Amino acid sequence: MSSATPQPCGSWKHELQTAVTKPHALAFPMAGGPQDVDSVVRRYPMRVTPYFLSLIQQWEDPLGKQVLPNIQELTDTLPHDDPLHENRQSPVPGLIHRYPDRVLFLVSSECAVYCRYCLRKRLVGNPFVVTDQTREAALDYIKKTRSVREVVLSGGDPLLLETDTLNHLLEQLRCIPHIQVLRIHTRVPGVLPSRITDHLVSMLNRHHPLYVNIQFNHPNEITPQSTHACAKLADAGIPLGSQTVLLKGVNDDPEVMIRLMQKLLTLRIKPYYLHHPDPVRGTGHFRTEIACGLSIMEHLRGRVSGMGIPQYMIDLPGGGGKIPLVPESVLGEENGMLKVTGLHGKVYGYPGKA
Ligand code: SF4
């Protein structure tokens, strides 16, 4: 179903070069004063593609909130930059090994937009985080670690690499006998759809089994352009899944979430995860209560077909891992911390309220 009309606005590289990186370049009134937002951008970079900017009506609308700086990023009281201890689970820089059979391979530190709620806010936009050397060291680790059968390419956004560079990485991974499945995590189809070129798609098509999980957070992100980009990937036989982050003021509304899940299905994207936001410093203003996520899930059931229902996931700090959250997982609250049952029945503390 690629009924949508593509609206190419020049090459994707040109779009990136003309992306907005300074708050004063925006036409609409700022949330906070100019000095406020400047100081935020000095700490956490800003980038918004002209395409995504064209979908934003106001600074604080559901799309603006996701990518435009807010002074609350600097006044937040959450204490940790890396609450999931990714750095500690990095046997080599640029690779995170949390579960025996899969690794997260950070192949780029660049993104088409810098999401204000990003889990890797501490890393994205820093060109020294991912280099040729870190990629080589990560490949070496994967070659030597025979328990790994699945590699998730993440970042940053893997689809911001040059097509030839990404092809070379995928080829190297495909030459490792114990690697069976490759997965790419990206936000590009929804924020820079012109990047999904025929050349990119035919290259990806050579590396099956390859899955692509795309981040979409609001139904307004589904436009003719993003629909066309996803259709190209689906037409190449690439299984598509979605990851959505539950974000206060963006999609913490059952009706918004229903519309999003229904639209994703029409794009041949299987809603995969609804992530509860991680307690990352600078992102506290996006956090909702767990009860909000559970009630959205309750609302989805019975109103959207089972195919359109994602799993509501929470990442437990302290090695608890990622678990699907159901009402029975939440045991209660103690000293401002939730008690949540994790893997193997172990109970973990999680910052937040029921
Ligand atoms: S695209 Fe992903 S990695 Fe990049 S800033 Fe957004 S959430 Fe973070």
Side-chain angles (χ1 to χ4, degrees), residues 97-103 145 147-149:
H97 195 175
R98 291 178 86 183
Y99 306 100
D101 65 333
R102 75 208 99 125
V103 290
T145 313
S147 63
V148 176
R149 43 171 294 281

Side-chain angles (χ1 to χ4, degrees), residues 109-121 124 154-157 186-188 191 215 245:
S109 52
E110 211 186 336
C111 303
V113 296
Y114 290 120
C115 312
R116 311 320 295 176
Y117 52 83
C118 180
L119 159 68
R120 301 204 183 96
K121 214 170 160 73
V124 291
S154 182
D157 201 309
T186 179
R187 207 181 167 182
V188 154
V191 295
Q215 190 187 142
V245 187

Side-chain angles (χ1 to χ4, degrees), residues 38-82:
D38 275 351
S39 57
V40 176
V41 170
R42 275 198 294 278
R43 171 92 176 266
Y44 302 115
M46 166 184 179
R47 183 189 255 174
V48 190
T49 55
Y51 161 78
F52 201 71
L53 197 57
S54 74
L55 306 179
I56 297 173
Q57 309 293 319
Q58 290 173 30
W59 200 282
E60 296 246 289
D61 72 16
L63 271 52
K65 266 193 173 172
Q66 293 182 53
V67 295
L68 302 181
N70 187 309
I71 188 63
Q72 291 177 85
E73 294 173 54
L74 298 183
T75 56
D76 187 12
T77 53
L78 285 168
H80 301 296
D81 282 335
D82 179 20

